[in-house]
């Protein structure tokens, strides 16, 4: 019966790539639902508590200074609009001088997008669309080329390790230019492990720098490193925005280099993990096909 159905309706049977796409979509949806339930149970009580505390403080301030709550809320709405232009309660570094603008375009092309700085003029917003289109595309190409360089370096290391173990007289007469066969190429698990260690080392080193320069705890600095390097960019922690950072040229350079290296390594790690996930999806499809045909 199953064979007759597959012969009569071959168009209804998706290809392996299509089935992999559908399966991945379902798993991502389930993963997001599970994450939403977990984070909602963790963060919702704190959100309600923060709202209650804010309303209490607003009423106390209104009564203490004899200001109506509506006038106070109107002033706060104006302040929220002013934050887009870089106005803060505590004076920070200039956002749109050359170093500040360079930091902004760096968050654009790397797709981090902290949200601390954003264009306020219509011309700037229109320009950002075309600037980001080209810049983000070039950055993704750079990240892919970075991953290729990492794989090539690992291939060379594996080749020379094999040559050292076998000895010069017992190795074939191939040169380092002919290591593209499967024996000399690193596995995806080796690449993932190396990249994971690299991301861990860069994040730990960067966290040490940020904890000293920004006044954050080490755990907060590690959290910032993951948010920044993974290009999530929530904007709750942003480096290099204090007023005295404008005079710290060395820290600005180190911050940019840390961001670049961290994003490159993390993007490459995500690519390697995605290959492992696809292998897992193919295994699940083969298992389902075996169970269906049994």
């Amino acid at each position: 019966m199953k064979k007759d159905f597959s012969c009569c309706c071959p168009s209804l049977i998706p290809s392996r790539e299509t089935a992999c796409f559908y399966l991945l979509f379902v798993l991502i949806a389930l993963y997001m639902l599970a994450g939403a339930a977990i984070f909602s149970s963790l963060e919702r009580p704190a959100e309600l508590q923060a709202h209650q505390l804010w309303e209490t403080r607003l009423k106390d301030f209104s009564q203490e200074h004899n200001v109506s709550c509506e006038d106070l809320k109107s002033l706060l709405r104006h302040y929220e609009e002013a934050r887009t232009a870089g106005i803060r309660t505590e004076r920070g570094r200039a956002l749109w001088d050359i170093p500040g603008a360079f930091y902004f375009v760096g968050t654009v092309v790397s797709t981090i997008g902290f949200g601390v700085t954003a264009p306020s003029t219509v011309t700037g917003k229109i320009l950002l669309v075309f600037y980001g289109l080209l810049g983000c595309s070039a950055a993704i190409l750079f990240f892919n080329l970075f991953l290729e360089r990492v794989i090539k370096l690992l291939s060379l290391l594996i080749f020379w390790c094999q040559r050292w173990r076998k000895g010069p007289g017992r190795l074939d007469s191939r040169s380092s230019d002919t290591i593209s066969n499967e024996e000399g190429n690193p596995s995806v698990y080796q690449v993932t492990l190396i990249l994971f260690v690299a991301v861990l080392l860069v994040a730990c080193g960067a966290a040490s720098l940020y904890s000293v320069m920004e006044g954050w705890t080490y755990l907060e600095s590690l959290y910032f490193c993951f948010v920044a390097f993974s290009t999530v960019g929530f904007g709750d922690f942003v480096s290099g925005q204090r007023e005295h950072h404008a005079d710290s040229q060395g820290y600005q350079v180190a911050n940019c280099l840390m961001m670049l290296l961290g994003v490159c390594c993390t993007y490459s790690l995500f690519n390697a993990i995605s290959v492992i996930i696809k292998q897992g999806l193919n295994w699940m499809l083969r298992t389902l096909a075996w169970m269906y045909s049994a």
Side-chain angles (χ1 to χ4, degrees), residues 112-124:
I112 296 177
F114 287 122
V116 175
T117 312
S120 57
T121 63
V122 177
T123 305

Side-chain angles (χ1 to χ4, degrees), residues 90-105:
E90 295 182 2
R91 183 176 177 83
R93 54 162 298 174
L95 298 180
W96 291 108
D97 58 356
I98 295 299
F102 185 81
Y103 188 85
F104 164 73
V105 297

Side-chain angles (χ1 to χ4, degrees), residues 78-176:
H78 288 306
Y79 173 70
E80 289 177 353
E81 295 175 357
R83 282 182 64 89
T84 306
I87 306 300
R88 300 291 185 271
T89 53
E90 295 182 2
R91 183 176 177 83
R93 54 162 298 174
L95 298 180
W96 291 108
D97 58 356
I98 295 299
F102 185 81
Y103 188 85
F104 164 73
V105 297
T107 62
V108 171
V109 300
S110 63
T111 71
I112 296 177
F114 287 122
V116 175
T117 312
S120 57
T121 63
V122 177
T123 305
K125 292 177 180 179
I126 296 175
L127 177 63
L128 179 62
V129 174
F130 299 98
Y131 184 88
L133 181 64
L134 180 61
C136 293
S137 301
I140 291 175
L141 175 61
F142 178 80
F143 297 153
N144 288 331
L145 293 177
F146 177 85
L147 179 58
E148 290 179 7
R149 303 285 83 73
V150 171
I151 295 176
K152 186 174 182 180
L153 177 61
L154 291 178
S155 299
L156 286 172
L157 291 176
I158 291 175
F159 170 73
W160 289 112
C161 287
Q162 291 176 347
R163 184 174 183 178
W164 178 78
R165 289 174 57 186
K166 294 182 178 180
R170 300 174 58 185
L171 192 67
D172 296 337
S173 59
R174 58 183 181 177
S175 63
S176 58

Side-chain angles (χ1 to χ4, degrees), residues 2-269:
K2 296 177 182 177
K3 293 183 178 179
D4 294 339
F5 177 79
S6 61
C7 292
C8 295
C9 304
S11 60
L12 297 179
I13 301 177
S15 63
R16 179 174 292 274
E17 290 296 327
T18 304
C20 183
F21 171 78
Y22 291 147
L23 179 59
L24 181 60
F25 175 80
V26 172
L27 292 178
I28 290 177
L30 294 176
Y31 187 77
M32 293 174 64
L33 287 173
I38 293 172
F39 282 107
S40 178
S41 63
L42 290 175
E43 301 297 334
R44 182 59 177 169
E47 180 188 15
L48 295 175
Q49 185 179 0
H51 277 287
Q52 184 178 4
L53 180 61
W54 172 247
E55 292 295 332
T56 302
R57 289 177 174 176
L58 198 63
K59 291 179 181 179
D60 292 343
F61 185 89
S62 176
Q63 294 175 359
E64 181 180 352
H65 296 277
N66 195 21
V67 180
S68 67
C69 287
E70 292 301 323
D71 292 339
L72 186 56
K73 288 181 179 179
S74 177
L75 176 63
L76 292 173
R77 281 193 291 268
H78 288 306
Y79 173 70
E80 289 177 353
E81 295 175 357
R83 282 182 64 89
T84 306
I87 306 300
R88 300 291 185 271
T89 53
E90 295 182 2
R91 183 176 177 83
R93 54 162 298 174
L95 298 180
W96 291 108
D97 58 356
I98 295 299
F102 185 81
Y103 188 85
F104 164 73
V105 297
T107 62
V108 171
V109 300
S110 63
T111 71
I112 296 177
F114 287 122
V116 175
T117 312
S120 57
T121 63
V122 177
T123 305
K125 292 177 180 179
I126 296 175
L127 177 63
L128 179 62
V129 174
F130 299 98
Y131 184 88
L133 181 64
L134 180 61
C136 293
S137 301
I140 291 175
L141 175 61
F142 178 80
F143 297 153
N144 288 331
L145 293 177
F146 177 85
L147 179 58
E148 290 179 7
R149 303 285 83 73
V150 171
I151 295 176
K152 186 174 182 180
L153 177 61
L154 291 178
S155 299
L156 286 172
L157 291 176
I158 291 175
F159 170 73
W160 289 112
C161 287
Q162 291 176 347
R163 184 174 183 178
W164 178 78
R165 289 174 57 186
K166 294 182 178 180
R170 300 174 58 185
L171 192 67
D172 296 337
S173 59
R174 58 183 181 177
S175 63
S176 58
D177 296 331
T178 61
I179 61 171
S180 58
N181 55 21
E182 294 186 359
E183 183 182 355
N185 284 339
S187 67
V188 64
Y189 303 102
Q190 291 174 323
V191 174
T192 303
L193 179 60
I194 295 297
L195 289 173
F196 177 77
V197 173
V199 169
L200 195 61
L201 291 176
V202 173
C204 290
S208 300
L209 175 66
Y210 293 135
S211 62
V212 173
M213 298 299 297
E214 302 291 344
W216 302 332
T217 65
Y218 192 76
L219 184 60
E220 289 174 340
S221 300
L222 282 176
Y223 164 79
F224 166 76
C225 288
F226 173 78
V227 170
F229 296 167
S230 62
T231 70
V232 174
F234 291 124
D236 49 350
F237 290 92
V238 183
S239 61
Q241 298 303 302
R242 296 188 178 184
E243 185 178 9
H244 67 274
H245 289 161
D247 301 325
S248 305
Q249 301 294 333
Y251 174 62
Q252 293 183 38
V253 174
N255 186 26
C256 291
L257 292 177
M258 285 291 184
M259 288 286 183
L260 178 61
L261 182 60
V263 171
C264 286
C265 293
T266 306
Y267 178 87
S268 301
L269 177 62

